[in-house]
Amino acid sequence: MGVNSNYKRLALYAAGTVAVYALIKLLVLSGFINPYWQRVLDQSMIVAIGALGLSVIFGISGQFSIGHAAFYGIGAYTAGLVTKSLGGEAAAFLAALVAGVFMAALVAFLFGLPVLRLTSDYLGIATLGFGVICKVGFDNANKVIPAMGGATGMTGVPQVADFDWIFLFFILSIVLARNFVQSAQGRSCMALREDEVAANVIGINIFRYKMLAFVFGCGLAGLAGALYAHRYPFLHPSNFDFLPSVDFLIIVVLGGMGSLTGTVVTAIGWVFLLEVLRAVLGMAFMDWRGVIYALILVVTILVRRQGLFGNKEYGFLAPRVFKAKEGPNATVKG
Amino acid sequence: MEYFLEQVINGLQLGMVYALIALGYTMVYGIVRLINFAHGDVFMVGAFIGYFGFTNWNMPWPLAIVVAMIICAALGMTIERLAYRPLRYAPRIMALIAAIGVSFFIEYFCSLKFMFGPNYRVVQRPFEEVYWSIGGVTISNIQVLIFVTAVIMLIGLQYLVYRTKLGAAMRTLSFDHDTARLMGVNVDRTISLTFGIGAALAAVGGVLYAIAYPQIFTFMGIMPGLKAFTAAVLGGIGLIPGAMLGALIMGQAEVMTAAFISSQLRDMIAFSILILVLLIKPTGILGKTQPEKV
């Protein structure tokens, strides 16, 4: 594959992205997507950004986390505080996003220092505990910083994150996650997911790469949270407790462990599923929504136990295949 | 001092209920390495059956407990058969997600109007609450009941696991499924019975919880379930005394924080203890550290 065709691919993807953006814009302007579904769409992209973070932590690097929503919450509250005090101009908004990402990454780093030594289920339980602790923290935050609202929720964050911003960061996150996964660092993370001892033996500093993936993934969660804070006027601690963490986990596993494509598609599908069920069922059967949602989850897992996309990647996210010109074992998957 | 002792007893009461739930978690985890998230919901179903037993169906409360145990055991075995058995040798995370799905299903299905309904229900206690004062410390008959029942269940379980053929099969399974099968252990049946026993214990916990903290609703299982599982990890997952010890620590931590610091911080302290213990001794307080084999 030559340099030229690389640029061609890139141009193709860029054109595709612009086309999707234009199409959605057109649908919105023509009234085909009403504000309600616009909101669902925005929400689905925000969830996808957060889920990409967990996908890097768990799917790619194998670090089990059931506390992802805590970092989502840290990003949301931090960013919310920044714009609440600085106002909603574009510069302040961007500063808030940076602050949200930075705060989530910093907390992830400090929490990861002692905790990432744990493995498998023990790490999961520790992150779950961290999630509960953060929830209690958000509940009582108003005692330290009154603007955070505590258990009654935080209001008054300027709602400046429109579809354009969210779409931009959605695409950026995908590019970032994909480049991380396909870098040498990403490969090291995959190696330690497969076998920590073997990875260590071939010279990978396990702890360093665990930390790298964890901080990166939590940073994405922070970005998602920061966007969320500027899209939904009401932040409540229950948006960031155990159940949203489980949602992220479901998305990553259901999409297929180790597949970023799966994560993105499932995240969007999962958010839409709930809303479509709401639209389809009507008021009389609204009670059944949770039941059907749960059934779909269980049946999907039973039918496709490798997740919807297995560990395969498609399109832009697929790693390029390099073909050597000669030699008996010419094909090396990149 | 009396206030402190009373809080110790309150902590014991809560800890014993957690212990009854934690035992099911730890047994299942010991054998199939699955965090059975639906266990907290089995606990909820147990509480509701007990409540219906002694209010709607006019049963004496001991009978209501037994009925709840039987129904929950059947429920636990059904869940295992339908959702977990097909995934037994799939990646473990798949079974975990299936467990979360089953948990949601039970919660939402039980919230339907023809089931338990979505509302909170206040439990009419099946007997009068009586207080005794011993050296200035007040103890209620409910606390005695919970303590006695939990201890009986624990002793019964220890007997079952260490003195019966089923227990031997369970212990064998916890080491290796294939070897157990070669030794003539009926793997499916043993796992099924383990789920049944765990669910029955959770049902006892549920009914006692409904009597002690008389308000029940269909999502009540989530937090006690999480805490009980945490307790099992704290004590050393897979170990019956570990689950008991962990549950008692969780109960005390929660009640003491609520009594002396702030009731809003109770979960924070309890889970901070968990993280601390995991950092110092990742296999839990009673757990043995196994050398890593390459």
Side-chain angles (χ1 to χ4, degrees), chain A residues 13-330:
Chain A
Y13 289 130
T17 309
V18 173
V20 170
Y21 173 78
L23 181 70
I24 295 173
K25 270 301 197 194
L26 202 69
L27 288 174
V28 172
L29 286 178
S30 67
F32 196 77
I33 298 180
N34 61 26
Y36 177 76
W37 288 102
Q38 172 80 68
R39 215 178 171 77
V40 177
L41 183 67
D42 292 354
Q43 165 77 357
S44 72
M45 286 190 291
I46 291 173
V47 169
I49 296 173
L52 273 174
L54 187 62
S55 195
V56 169
I57 297 172
F58 187 36
I60 303 296
S61 317
Q63 302 307 305
F64 188 22
S65 167
I66 335 181
H68 201 58
F71 299 98
Y72 184 50
I74 290 170
Y77 275 106
T78 310
L81 275 180
V82 171
T83 37
K84 216 172 157 178
S85 45
L86 292 185
E89 291 79 34
F93 172 55
L94 288 178
L97 292 187
V98 172
V101 172
F102 179 74
M103 197 57 151
L106 179 70
V107 174
F109 176 73
L110 295 177
F111 176 67
L113 270 183
V115 164
L116 281 177
R117 272 175 298 164
L118 299 172
T119 48
S120 83
D121 291 350
Y122 293 107
L123 180 61
I125 298 305
T127 48
L128 185 149
F130 181 72
V132 176
I133 292 171
C134 282
K135 159 82 161 52
V136 177
F138 298 144
D139 271 336
N140 295 292
N142 56 337
K143 285 164 196 154
V144 187
I145 307 169
M148 280 178 74
T152 50
M154 177 173 175
T155 50
V157 179
Q159 298 301 296
V160 287
D162 53 9
F163 170 75
D164 300 349
W165 280 116
I166 296 172
F167 189 78
L168 174 68
F169 283 105
F170 173 63
I171 298 297
L172 271 181
S173 304
I174 293 178
V175 174
L176 211 60
R178 177 243 189 218
N179 285 357
F180 176 77
V181 169
Q182 293 182 18
S183 67
Q185 285 78 6
R187 274 157 222 282
S188 300
C189 290
M190 280 187 225
L192 76 88
R193 168 189 69 189
E194 296 303 326
D195 190 328
E196 281 193 15
V197 179
N200 206 358
V201 167
I202 58 170
I204 291 170
N205 183 342
I206 311 179
F207 187 75
R208 201 178 136 203
Y209 286 106
K210 278 185 185 177
M211 184 58 100
L212 188 64
F214 193 63
V215 169
F216 180 83
C218 291
L220 278 184
L223 175 62
L227 290 170
Y228 180 88
H230 296 88
R231 183 65 181 87
Y232 296 90
F234 184 60
L235 296 183
H236 191 263
S238 69
N239 295 131
F240 311 111
D241 69 352
F242 175 62
L243 288 177
S245 290
V246 164
D247 270 340
F248 282 125
L249 189 64
I250 288 173
I251 288 166
V252 170
V253 177
L254 205 60
M257 293 275 288
S259 169
L260 297 179
T261 320
T263 304
V264 173
V265 174
T266 316
I268 293 174
W270 197 239
V271 174
F272 271 88
L273 172 69
L274 261 183
E275 299 304 325
V276 169
L277 279 178
R278 192 198 295 277
V280 169
L281 287 174
M283 279 317 285
F285 293 98
M286 199 47 87
D287 301 345
W288 283 87
R289 193 167 68 132
V291 179
I292 296 171
Y293 176 80
L295 265 184
I296 290 177
L297 175 60
V298 176
V299 171
T300 316
I301 288 288
L302 287 177
V303 176
R304 271 193 79 85
R305 59 181 59 177
Q306 71 275 48
L308 292 172
F309 285 75
N311 57 1
K312 295 195 175 60
E313 301 283 18
Y314 294 92
F316 172 66
L317 292 164
R320 278 167 297 157
V321 180
F322 296 100
K323 282 202 176 122
K325 288 269 158 59
E326 48 204 53
N329 301 319

Side-chain angles (χ1 to χ4, degrees), chain B residues 93-142:
Chain B
I93 183 66
M94 292 300 161
L96 182 78
I97 299 294
I100 292 172
V102 171
S103 165
F104 286 164
F105 178 78
I106 297 177
E107 284 157 14
Y108 286 109
F109 189 73
C110 289
S111 299
L112 295 177
K113 292 207 180 61
F114 63 87
M115 289 296 290
F116 305 152
N119 300 326
Y120 283 73
R121 287 164 187 262
V122 177
V123 178
Q124 293 290 324
R125 291 198 172 107
F127 47 80
E128 288 293 306
E129 195 174 7
V130 184
Y131 291 99
W132 297 295
S133 183
I134 301 171
V137 180
T138 318
I139 300 178
S140 75
N141 55 347
I142 292 176

